[in-house]
Amino acid sequence: MSLDATYTREIPLVEGKTSFREIDDVIARPTETKPNIKWFIAIGISSTALLIGAVCLGLTFWYGVGLWGNNQPVGWAFDIINFVFWIGIGHAGTLISAILFLFRQKWRTGIARFAEGMTIFAVMTAGIFPAIHTGRPWLDGYLFPYPNQHGLWVNFTSPLLWDVFAVSTYFTVSFVFWFIGLIPDFATLRDRTTSGIKKAIYTALSLGWRGSNRHWQHYERVYLILAGLSTPLVLSVHTIVSFDFAVSVIPGWHTTIFPPYFVAGAIFSGFGMVSTVLIIVRKVFDMEHIITVNTLEKMNKILLATGTIVGYAYAMEFFIAWYSGNPIEQFTFINRAFGPYSWAYWIMFSCNVFFPQLFWFKKIRRSIPITFVLVLLVNVGMWFERYVIIVTSLTRDYLPSSWGMYFPTMYDFGILLGSFGMFFTLVLLFAKTMPVVAMSEIKAVTEGAQPSHKHKHE
Amino acid sequence: MIGKILKKLDDKFLKGEPRTGELFAVAALFDTPDQIIHAAEKVSGAGYKKFDVLTPYPVHGMDGAMNLKPTGIGWVGLIAGMSGTFLAFLMIWWMVGINYPNIFGGKPYFNLPASIPIMFELTVLLSALTLVGSLIALFMKLPANANPLMDTDFVKRVTSDKFGIYIEAKDPKFKLEEVRTMFEGLGSTSVSNIHEAEYDLGDTKNPLLNGKFIGALLGTSVAVVGITYFVLNVLLFLPPFDWMHRQPKVLPQTESKFFKDGFSMRKPVEGTVARGFMPYEFKGMPDSLVVITPNPLPVTQKVLDLGKKRYDSYCSPCHGFYGKGDSRLRGQFPVPPTLHSVKVTNWKDANIYHVITNGQNTMPSYASSISRDDRWAIIHYLRVLQRSANAPDSDLETK
């Protein structure tokens, strides 16, 4: 406890022991007060981006995916790049809320709720891309096996179908996990609020929660099991995403290293995004003392570890290409590093492997501005990782006669921008309307929150 | 205007119901987790059953202090998860192995390794949803916004910073004064009596017959039907949803503006013969000129089954399922004569083959739609029909 509860000790209100009321006051403040100018600036920017994306998407609906740069031989481009990118972002949230929970990492408490929210928004954003890349998104119902007028079922041997199941399960489970965690906090807000309409909303959302220990007993068990279920789930989701590539026969994709490599990359990029958002949000909502430098430092350590794993995977891909003796594989990797897309490759490599190594230094880990720059670079690098994997392999596969180049159009960029806009708009709305830190969880880990004397069953 | 609405909402939701009902419970608030654990031990030790402890977060050791049985909800998750695995297995196995077998990549129809990802996902999905659903509805019995504790100062503190305990008046050992002095003796900072709220539920004799309810139900169904109709029958035929239908292609039976003769369908180049095509040598000749060849197919169950299948789809619309001339075309096409006539019964198979291949008067040729073998199989089946309609008495004799 001494080590983990540092963030709460930093609430500089009452000496030694923090009062629960003050925790509520701080966390509930955004939901109870008018937002400040910083919030309006932030949401102004994000909703503008969202609007640009919406316009590009609307034009795509009208004229079709021919507006995009996709063409032979690159049939998959920004759509799938953005999908994999955003799904990966989501994984950090589950990692923080479920895996760190199972490992009893109490420092997660300050950021878990937030990270879970980000998971949900990232998966929502990601979900747009497979839906729109079909060209006629209003027919996406066919992705699910239901008894239709054609008497046909879906292809259960296709990784793309596994993706449909994995992503929809992931979204559903993350959502209920998040909601279950929110119930006690909704009850707290319900009992605090002085506005009738908010009371009505929070009453409905809190389901009449009253903090009964006869409820907590089952609740805690379910929370634990959900964490246990989410852990293999999150690993399975990105494994299956990597199968989309690995199960095909395209050089550079058809490798067994893909599942672990993708999972590590997902966690890496997700932590990059969580840090980015947290740094912005703690500024916008003045929560520097709840989302502390200590927490960010721990996240930076995870970034360092996963970034190194990703670097190892890059190196191992090269090694295996050489070791396999397969000339096509070998060509693919040399082409990645030195071919027409080498600029993308080296952006990816430096952002993901070189720069995060700076986190070996404690000074840098604890410096917010430098961390902010580095995590932005991680976001960029991880987006380019998917770009490199997808575009270099598709532009130059087997027969040189079928090679080609890929050029994105402004609609591709617009939709990419819109996805960031959607994500950040949702994050900002979430931070304004719901408790971004789990009040009930954080109270439980403050000093003196648990009985001091040992009990019979412990 | 908006201010007025907000004011109304404030009045409705902030005030709460009047508390004039019977005594529901006596509740006490404590300041520290140690005190509440002690109080819970005392109350459960004194033999009270209908009591509960309310805390802002789960307090370690409280289950023991309250003497609660361990929760069994883990089993729900386990059983639901296993059913998820099994159902996914069953679904995939039935859909691709039984209902619509289809070859993908030269793999077996149903193959287990490829099914495992989905089996896993559905395990997690079913387990998580069942757990949460049963947690809320069965184990915690929520939503429970009508609970008398709601909206009391007691609950408003325990969802924030205090630790509360209450004993219900329904508990057999409940005695108001005793309970109050016990709580005070335990060091409670505030002991309060909580009364039942008086809800104005109106005429609740049969809520299903409530006019508003029925109105809402009707309204919803009309809206759902209307929207569904609009989407499926109107919207999907508007641009851009119909752009896939509007293609520069010729549809069957339409006039061509491109070809001089106005036909969309093109005839093969003069003198070309399709692969495997055998011209019918008696094309257009009268029946009498047909050279009689025997039916090349054997009479086996398989051939008769095939014949029945083809007869039922190609011949029965005009000739009826039993060849009696009971057309299902309701006069849209001349009704053909029965196929049980002496003429057709005495015909050789080759004569019937000639009619199918060549057509006869109003009956068109089926040469292009029914393969040669299928035509011969149909004839075998037709013989079965004729035989069954004119079965001789000797068929009844047991052998």
Side-chain angles (χ1 to χ4, degrees), chain A residues 147-165:
Chain A
N148 55 39
Q149 68 270 44
H150 310 300
L152 276 175
W153 303 110
V154 288
N155 177 2
F156 286 98
T157 55
S158 163
L160 298 175
L161 181 76
W162 307 342
D163 238 6
V164 172
F165 278 85

Side-chain angles (χ1 to χ4, degrees), chain A residues 20-21 24 61-63 136 138 145 150-157 161-162 165-166 168-170 172-173 176 179-180 183-184 187-188 190-197 199-200 203-204 206-222 225-226 229 232-233 236-237 240 243 440-441 443-444 448-453 455-458, chain B residues 6 9-10 13-14 33-34 37 41 49 51-66 68-74 91-92 94-96 99-100 102 104 107 111 114 117-118 120-122 124-125 127-129 131-132 135-136 139-145 147 149-151 155-161 163 166 236 239-241 243-244:
Chain A
F20 296 144
R21 257 288 136 107
D24 287 351
F61 276 175
W62 190 260
Y63 292 109
R136 286 187 285 164
W138 50 92
H150 310 300
L152 276 175
W153 303 110
V154 288
N155 177 2
F156 286 98
T157 55
L161 181 76
W162 307 342
F165 278 85
S168 41
T169 301
Y170 185 47
T172 317
V173 173
V176 292
F179 179 69
I180 278 288
I183 292 176
T188 306
R190 170 198 69 202
D191 289 342
R192 282 176 64 88
T193 187
T194 48
S195 132
I197 178 140
K199 172 115 191 245
T203 303
S206 63
L207 305 175
W209 176 268
R210 47 186 187 273
S212 155
N213 194 62
R214 292 175 195 271
H215 291 172
W216 279 122
Q217 191 203 11
H218 307 297
Y219 176 98
E220 279 201 287
R221 177 58 58 85
V222 167
I225 300 176
L226 284 181
L229 286 172
L233 177 64
S236 86
V237 172
I240 290 176
F243 283 166
S440 65
E441 276 188 55
K443 284 176 200 163
Q450 297 300 346
S452 52
H453 57 91
H455 274 275
K456 354 177 200 204
H457 73 289
E458 271 182 346
Chain B
L6 287 182
L9 285 171
D10 281 357
F13 290 107
L14 289 179
D34 283 335
I37 287 267
E41 278 168 349
K49 290 276 172 288
F51 73 100
D52 202 354
V53 174
L54 310 188
T55 53
Y57 55 86
V59 174
H60 290 179
M62 184 55 79
D63 298 354
M66 284 175 71
L68 296 180
K69 275 188 290 178
T71 171
I73 197 164
M91 171 182 85
I92 301 175
W94 180 78
M95 285 179 183
V96 300
N99 186 256
Y100 199 117
N102 212 342
F104 294 111
K107 295 175 192 116
N111 74 84
I118 293 180
F120 172 76
E121 299 303 331
L122 290 187
V124 171
L125 185 67
S127 178
L129 288 184
L131 265 176
V132 169
L135 169 73
I136 290 175
F139 284 80
M140 308 201 297
K141 305 216 168 43
L142 297 181
N145 281 316
N147 188 296
L149 291 169
M150 284 297 124
D151 267 326
V155 156
K156 285 188 179 167
R157 290 318 288 259
V158 298
T159 56
S160 175
D161 61 342
F163 305 86
Y166 70 88
L236 281 181
F241 303 107
W243 282 8
M244 209 65 166

